[in-house]
Amino acid sequence: MFPFSQQGAQSETPTFFTQEELNKLNSEFETGGVERIRHLLEKKVKELDNTELNIAVTGDSGAGKSTLINAMRGLCSEDEGAAAVGTTETTMEPTGYSHPTLPNVRYWDLPGIGSTEFTAGSYLKKMQFKKYDFFIIVSAGRFTENDAKLAKEIKRLGKKFYFVRSKIDADLYSMRQQRDEFDEEAEMGKIRSDCVSQLGKAGIPDPNVFLISSFVKNMYDFYWLMKALADGLPNIKKSVFVLALPNDSVEVIRKKGEILKKRIWMLAILSGGVGAIPVPGLSAACDIGIVIGAIIYFRKCLCLDDAALRRLAERTGTSVEVLKDAVKSSLLGELTAPVILRLGLGVVAVAVSVVEAFVYFIPGIGSIFGAGTSFGMTYWILNDALKLLMETAEKVLAVTKRAQ
């Protein structure tokens, strides 16, 4: 039996396949081998690449919606494409912001229901609620009855919602300045209890309220908010959401690595399918193309593309060249066949190409050899490349933390 399984499905890392899909893959492979399942895997890879995620952030003007959207995209207000902060809300239309490297992920700034004349039901219709995967309801102070009405309407329509109490760092700082003795944890508990109580009185029993600062993402509830958002999504969209997160911690980087690794065996099998086509040298050429395309995608997801590195360099007062030099990774430059071959494929690839030129003339042998070698080479080189990129991402994170 081909090794399609739900191993790790009980972990927090999402799997890309339903059990029905896995059963079909096993059945097809047993009856027809790699060629029989190739179209199924191509379809799945295309689905992964085209999956959209739309995140709605709503709240009244000044609640911190734009700052939260920028934080979730890994942007500062000065970055190109960032949502404008500190402006007066003048539009009653949703404003969309694409993820800087994964354009199928979009964040939508919706006007707070308190700033409109709509009822909760007509508000959601006007805001085209069906397109959103979930809603984040943001308040910089007390949640209002309108917030509760909106949440109930969202729930009635089968969507998830999350309450976020923003600017908690400013509130705690103000309290600290006014008191001789200050217990931050106790004060956060009081604020959380007050929010829960308000929403409970408005008809939202036992709501989860996240206290965050979009400027200090390693403190308060920002991590737990991101985890809750991910856990509330179905598997493929969960993977998309995690890959779109900024690299704020080693844990995020490693979680991304787990998700990206689940793609590798699919790409390797597709490479194996091409390797089975009896054309001398084709499998090696296609292996390089698949590898380069995958590494470019890995770099984007791990915030190692040039645009992401440029933003980090600007924040740390350095340059992209200095940042690249500090982490010393051969995978951050231009990717070409010679570069990939120097990473370790070199001698093996040349040897395989020569052997293929002979064995393809022997009926049956060439097809099996081509599929096996293409799968092995692609799987091996992409695993090594992903491991190296994850190590590079952790080095970049360490360098930027030291510079801050």
Side-chain angles (χ1 to χ4, degrees):
M1 175 179 281
F2 201 80
F4 297 112
S5 70
Q6 283 277 34
Q7 286 185 348
Q10 300 303 314
S11 71
E12 293 183 0
T13 304
T15 181
F16 297 142
F17 294 88
T18 65
Q19 189 59 55
E20 182 180 356
E21 289 173 327
L22 293 171
N23 292 339
K24 186 173 183 179
L25 284 170
N26 275 316
S27 175
E28 292 291 297
F29 181 80
E30 288 174 351
T31 58
V34 170
E35 281 303 305
R36 193 69 176 265
I37 64 171
R38 187 179 172 201
H39 74 284
L40 297 175
L41 295 181
E42 287 176 336
K43 182 179 178 182
K44 178 58 67 173
V45 171
K46 186 175 181 179
E47 179 187 352
L48 294 174
D49 290 340
N50 294 329
T51 295
E52 294 186 353
L53 184 65
N54 289 286
I55 300 168
V57 182
T58 183
D60 291 334
S61 180
K65 293 178 296 177
S66 296
T67 306
L68 175 57
I69 287 173
N70 288 336
M72 294 175 71
R73 297 162 71 213
L75 301 180
C76 294
S77 58
E78 297 83 8
D79 291 329
E80 182 179 353
V85 300
T87 58
T88 301
E89 193 164 60
T90 58
T91 179
M92 292 297 105
E93 301 295 329
T95 303
Y97 299 93
S98 293
H99 187 275
T101 54
L102 302 177
N104 285 343
V105 181
R106 290 181 68 81
Y107 308 78
W108 296 86
D109 185 344
L110 310 187
I113 189 172
S115 60
T116 73
E117 296 179 356
F118 302 114
T119 64
S122 62
Y123 171 88
L124 286 175
K125 185 177 181 180
K126 173 70 175 177
M127 298 301 136
Q128 307 170 42
F129 88 97
K130 290 184 179 180
K131 76 164 65 173
Y132 309 116
D133 291 282
F134 57 81
F135 291 75
I136 302 174
I137 303 172
V138 185
S139 175
R142 293 196 164 202
F143 290 100
T144 67
E145 185 177 350
N146 278 332
D147 294 325
K149 287 180 179 178
L150 178 58
K152 285 188 281 189
E153 190 66 16
I154 293 170
K155 183 178 181 179
R156 186 184 70 80
L157 296 170
K159 298 282 185 174
K160 291 184 179 293
F161 58 89
Y162 304 85
F163 290 106
V164 167
R165 171 70 155 75
S166 64
K167 306 182 182 181
I168 191 66
D169 54 333
D171 290 335
L172 294 173
Y173 176 80
S174 178
M175 293 178 187
R176 188 178 289 108
Q177 298 302 110
Q178 298 174 39
R179 304 177 188 177
D180 294 330
E181 295 184 3
F182 181 78
D183 186 330
E184 182 175 285
E185 186 174 342
E187 293 302 326
M188 285 185 63
K190 292 178 183 178
I191 294 172
R192 194 190 311 277
S193 294
D194 183 54
C195 290
V196 170
S197 176
Q198 296 165 31
L199 291 168
K201 292 175 182 177
I204 306 294
D206 303 317
N208 285 323
V209 178
F210 298 90
L211 312 182
I212 73 160
S213 165
S214 296
F215 295 111
V216 194
K217 293 184 285 184
N218 63 335
M219 295 178 65
Y220 316 120
D221 292 343
F222 198 93
Y223 166 83
W224 297 109
L225 171 62
M226 296 301 107
K227 185 177 187 304
L229 299 179
D231 290 344
L233 290 166
N235 279 337
I236 289 181
K237 292 206 173 192
K238 177 176 181 177
S239 70
V240 172
F241 179 80
V242 173
L243 292 177
L245 290 173
N247 288 358
D248 292 325
S249 69
V250 170
E251 183 178 4
V252 168
I253 293 170
R254 293 178 180 174
K255 187 62 66 178
K256 289 183 179 183
E258 292 174 14
I259 293 171
L260 293 171
K261 192 167 185 178
K262 291 179 182 292
R263 277 182 173 244
I264 291 177
W265 66 267
M266 290 189 286
L267 296 174
I269 291 173
L270 292 178
S271 174
V274 173
I277 298 173
V279 178
L282 177 59
S283 65
C286 184
D287 287 343
I288 295 298
I290 288 175
V291 166
I292 290 176
I295 291 174
I296 290 173
Y297 180 75
F298 293 169
R299 290 197 309 199
K300 288 181 178 180
C301 294
L302 290 167
C303 305
L304 294 174
D305 57 295
D306 283 346
L309 292 175
R310 184 173 61 253
R311 289 191 296 270
L312 284 174
E314 290 173 354
R315 290 174 203 168
T316 55
T318 182
S319 66
V320 174
E321 291 70 25
V322 170
L323 189 57
K324 286 184 177 181
D325 185 62
V327 298
K328 293 180 172 61
S329 174
S330 56
L331 286 176
L332 295 188
E334 182 182 4
L335 294 175
T336 62
V339 170
I340 299 301
L341 294 176
R342 284 198 300 270
L343 291 176
L345 189 59
V347 174
V348 176
V350 172
V352 167
S353 295
V354 172
V355 173
E356 283 180 343
F358 290 94
V359 299
Y360 273 117
F361 291 101
I362 306 174
I365 301 297
S367 179
I368 295 172
F369 186 82
T373 55
S374 295
F375 175 90
M377 284 193 297
T378 306
Y379 188 86
W380 172 51
I381 202 79
L382 284 182
N383 266 292
D384 283 353
L386 178 58
K387 181 180 178 182
L388 179 58
L389 286 171
M390 289 175 63
E391 292 172 352
T392 302
E394 291 185 22
K395 290 178 182 177
V396 170
L397 177 64
V399 169
T400 53
K401 282 187 174 181
R402 287 197 298 269
Q404 289 174 349

